[in-house]
Amino acid sequence: MIEAAALTKLYGKARVVDEASLTLASPGVTAIIGPNGAGKSTLLSMIARLLPIDGGRALIDGLDVTRTRGDELAKRISILKQENGLMARLTARDLIGFGRFPHSKGRLTPTDYEKIEEALTFLDLLPFADRFLDEMSGGQRQRAFVAMVLAQDTRAILLDEPLNNLDMRHAVAMMRLMRRAADELGKIVVVVLHDINFACAYADRIIAMQGGRIVVDGPVEEVVSEETIEAVFGLPVMVRDVEGQRTCLFRA
Amino acid sequence: MADVAKPANGETLRDREHRSGRRVAWPTSRQMLALLAILALASCLVFMTVGVRGNWGFVLQLRAPKLLAMIVVGHAIALSTVTLQTLAGNRILAPSIMGFDSLYILIQTLMVFLAGTALAMAIDPIALFIAETAVMVLFALTLYGKLLGGATRDLHRLLLVGVILGVFFRSTASFLQRLLDPNAFLVLQDTFYASFNTVRSDLLLIAAVLIGIVTAIFWRLVPQFDVLSLGRDTATSLGVDSTRLTRISLGLIAVLVSVSVALVGPLTFFGLLVASLAVVLVGSRRHAETILAASLIAVICLVGGQTVLERVFQFDTALGIVIEFFGGIAFIAIILKRGFT
């Protein structure tokens, strides 16, 4: 369960995130959309304690993220950010093993090895398990990082633009995976997305942000309408149902 | 999968060797560590026994403190460099390059300067050393805590700030040294230049104990260092309190630097040399292995180098210079090879 109450982040006088409140209690995929600089990543980072909070609070399962021990939170929430500066040369299996750190503190138990294998299988990484990350393609590497997050086995999973650098095929595969994580494993998945159509196709709920504020929050059909998207992105768009799938196109 | 269709992309070194029919048996990290341990032990034995004439008891008593000092200093430099590199998020920095050594020399100078000649001559060297180390820990935490604990740890900025701080500390220290009474200057003089012949044997015992304690604490933190090498955000997400880890480690590194500078004087590039060699030989996957390898390499370099210089070339003072020469070349090579990225 993720609760954010009036979360605020200031950079100087600029309110990058301005009193954003949200509650995510049940399994599902929630997409956060919005123009660049709307504060999407900052909001996620504050909820996951990667950035200090300037106002409001964030609670994970009722625990205040600024006051709870890091290793306690790491069993409840995980986050994957875009850039990952690795210092060590690791294989995919090594990396995924680090996902077990909150549970085993570096000494892997048989349960941990099972979880690592599960994550490898879930992401179709078994053939590449012992390859070094720098010898993998961008898509494989991205999947390895997601596998690490899954191995961490937290109920809440936050992903900051997980589709970056992925082609259409891998992006669809990644979103299907998010869907399965929510449906089969009961995870609360929150993803920052730039492509509204991916949000339409795979999310249960969409949160739209603009200028640091949450402007709309609701199911796909409600949020993705011409008026709302135009207001959020400041761009005229067409919203159509194509063979039952809500679709949003920009007007050329 | 489409990914399988491009084998060249995911080919491992082993595949490549296999394909080319050239099987280079690169030893595993454990074998490499065993090999390094044997070499280190051998250099210690040779150092203690070569060219002994006359009374063994006397010779061993003369050489043992020197050997112990080299082991303590080598390990201190190796441990502080490998851990600082992970904290800083790159493998080009070392405590000495960040100005830690110069800071300690400044503190030493300042203590003697403020205490005055009479007191400086009279004060117990162990008490003075402990006081200097305590001040060093305090200063290192305030000066470098912000720099390394912040969200942005840009390499260029760290390197630049380190160089500037280093020059600043060194020039301030040498300015103060000029103002010193010649007698007080004598107290300090030994510590300004790296030398393994004028080891401060009075500090050896306390130094060894301190290093033992610091190593034990670092040993408990090693799993967290492994996680930290995934990047600060990922480490936080995995439950490592990176701010706390940075703080504790900076304090410990300050102690390590104090010990090595107090015992033999500053060695700028030695840490970088042994840490880079360790990463090449055993990789950087597990800090336990990297640190152990770096320490063993440091002992081999110091003890082996000192033996060769003393017994073969009959030089007595040049080890520091030789080490700095090779370390400096390694530093330039690393920077050129990485293209500063």
Side-chain angles (χ1 to χ4, degrees), chain B residues 209-277:
Chain B
V209 170
L210 272 179
I211 294 281
I213 296 170
V214 169
T215 307
I217 302 174
F218 264 130
W219 211 246
R220 293 182 61 93
L221 297 175
V222 147
Q224 296 192 37
F225 270 92
D226 288 342
V227 178
L228 193 64
S229 65
L230 300 179
R232 216 151 262 241
D233 282 348
T234 312
T236 307
S237 176
L238 290 171
V240 170
D241 187 342
S242 62
T243 316
R244 187 166 154 268
L245 183 62
T246 305
R247 210 169 264 274
I248 296 174
S249 307
L250 271 179
L252 296 177
I253 289 171
V255 174
L256 294 173
V257 171
S258 305
V259 166
S260 71
V261 178
L263 282 182
V264 302
L267 282 169
T268 314
F269 294 115
F270 184 56
L272 190 80
L273 182 71
V274 295
S276 310
L277 276 175

Side-chain angles (χ1 to χ4, degrees), chain A residues 66-86:
Chain A
T66 53
R67 261 174 272 155
T68 311
R69 283 176 60 98
D71 49 356
E72 187 54 45
L73 287 171
K75 291 177 190 165
R76 298 167 188 274
I77 187 167
S78 52
I79 184 168
L80 183 63
K81 300 260 293 175
Q82 296 160 45
E83 69 272 20
N84 292 289
L86 281 186

Side-chain angles (χ1 to χ4, degrees), chain B residues 71-88:
Chain B
I71 293 172
V72 163
V73 167
H75 174 61
I77 292 179
L79 181 57
S80 60
T81 307
V82 174
T83 48
L84 185 83
Q85 286 183 340
T86 304
L87 290 179

Side-chain angles (χ1 to χ4, degrees), chain A residues 164-217:
Chain A
N164 263 13
N165 306 318
L166 294 188
D167 60 30
M168 198 164 37
R169 203 179 75 91
H170 284 101
V172 167
M174 182 65 76
M175 288 312 295
R176 282 189 184 145
L177 200 94
M178 297 301 117
R179 208 48 269 169
R180 279 176 58 205
D183 297 339
E184 295 170 23
L185 308 175
K187 307 284 186 194
I188 302 174
V189 182
V190 184
V191 271
V192 170
L193 292 177
H194 271 301
D195 190 328
I196 297 169
N197 291 322
F198 275 109
C200 292
Y202 296 102
D204 304 302
R205 174 175 164 189
I206 297 184
I207 293 172
M209 291 185 74
Q210 190 200 32
R213 293 182 161 275
I214 292 180
V215 285
V216 204
D217 179 353

